Amino acid sequence: DGGVSDQGRRPRRLRVRRRPRPPVTMRDHVALALGAVLGAFARKSASDYAAHRGLTPWGTCAVNIMGSAALGALAASEPLPRQAKLFLGVGFCGAFTTFSTFSTDVVGMVEAGDYGKAATYIAANNVGGVAAALAAFRLRRYGGLHPRSPPLRGRPSKR
């Protein structure tokens, strides 16, 4: 039928109008860089602490879960200035959490034949990260873990 409708006309394509993005500024780059530096320092400190306590690779898991919670809370926040999102979300959380270290930790466990430990580590990172992000999102947005809790805006509603 070649895309022709019953009435002999081609269907119209929907055009989505997108708002033009504002240009990236030097402030955006600085916010991102400062957040990344602080996130990298925080991650290195957490990794060193975990290694000192003999908790390797679980320090990476803890960092990923904390970063997921932070990003979940950030996602539920009121609209933030672009530089704040870049500083906190992309910069700090991006440098603080680490998928690559998680992946190489799993490869090391599999290569060592520690399949149970690898499976537990994968589950802890993924399920723990998603659960932490969801819990932080709901706590920030609703003031509780239940999705039907009233939003935290203005004065509390009278029931």
Side-chain angles (χ1 to χ4, degrees), residues 42-43 46-47 58-73 92-93 96-97 125 128-129 132-133 136:
R43 183 188 178 296
S47 294
W58 297 101
T60 300
C61 183
V63 160
N64 287 339
I65 290 171
M66 288 187 290
S68 295
L71 205 51
F92 185 86
C93 288
F96 184 62
T97 61
N125 270 278

Side-chain angles (χ1 to χ4, degrees), residues 1-11:
D1 118 289
V4 179
S5 69
D6 292 339
Q7 300 168 347
R9 292 180 280 163
R10 289 192 181 269

Side-chain angles (χ1 to χ4, degrees), residues 11 14 26 28 31-32 35 38 47 55 60 70 74 81 93 99 103 105 108-109 129 132 134 140-141 145 156:
L14 294 176
M26 182 56 77
D28 294 339
L32 175 77
L38 294 176
S47 294
L55 300 173
T60 300
L74 184 65
C93 288
F99 189 77
S103 300
D105 287 345
M109 290 174 209
L134 178 63
R140 178 77 177 114
R141 172 78 45 98
L145 296 178

Side-chain angles (χ1 to χ4, degrees), residues 3-148:
V4 179
S5 69
D6 292 339
Q7 300 168 347
R9 292 180 280 163
R10 289 192 181 269
R12 293 177 60 191
R13 287 188 173 196
L14 294 176
R15 290 188 182 176
V16 178
R17 288 190 159 204
R18 295 187 179 147
R19 285 187 272 157
R21 290 183 182 212
V24 177
T25 66
M26 182 56 77
R27 285 184 183 192
D28 294 339
H29 292 295
V30 169
L32 175 77
L34 288 175
V37 166
L38 294 176
F41 279 129
R43 183 188 178 296
K44 176 69 172 132
S45 297
S47 294
D48 289 348
Y49 178 81
H52 181 71
R53 300 276 188 247
L55 300 173
T56 304
W58 297 101
T60 300
C61 183
V63 160
N64 287 339
I65 290 171
M66 288 187 290
S68 295
L71 205 51
L74 184 65
S77 297
E78 293 295 320
L80 296 171
R82 187 168 64 181
Q83 284 89 17
K85 287 180 186 177
L86 289 170
F87 176 83
L88 295 169
V90 180
F92 185 86
C93 288
F96 184 62
T97 61
T98 174
F99 189 77
S100 57
T101 301
F102 157 71
S103 300
T104 55
D105 287 345
V106 171
V107 168
M109 290 174 209
V110 169
E111 287 296 309
D114 292 332
Y115 302 111
K117 185 177 179 182
T120 301
Y121 189 65
I122 290 168
N125 270 278
N126 289 289
V127 174
V130 172
L134 178 63
F137 182 92
R138 287 190 172 167
L139 285 169
R140 178 77 177 114
R141 172 78 45 98
Y142 305 113
L145 296 178
H146 195 280
R148 292 195 181 105

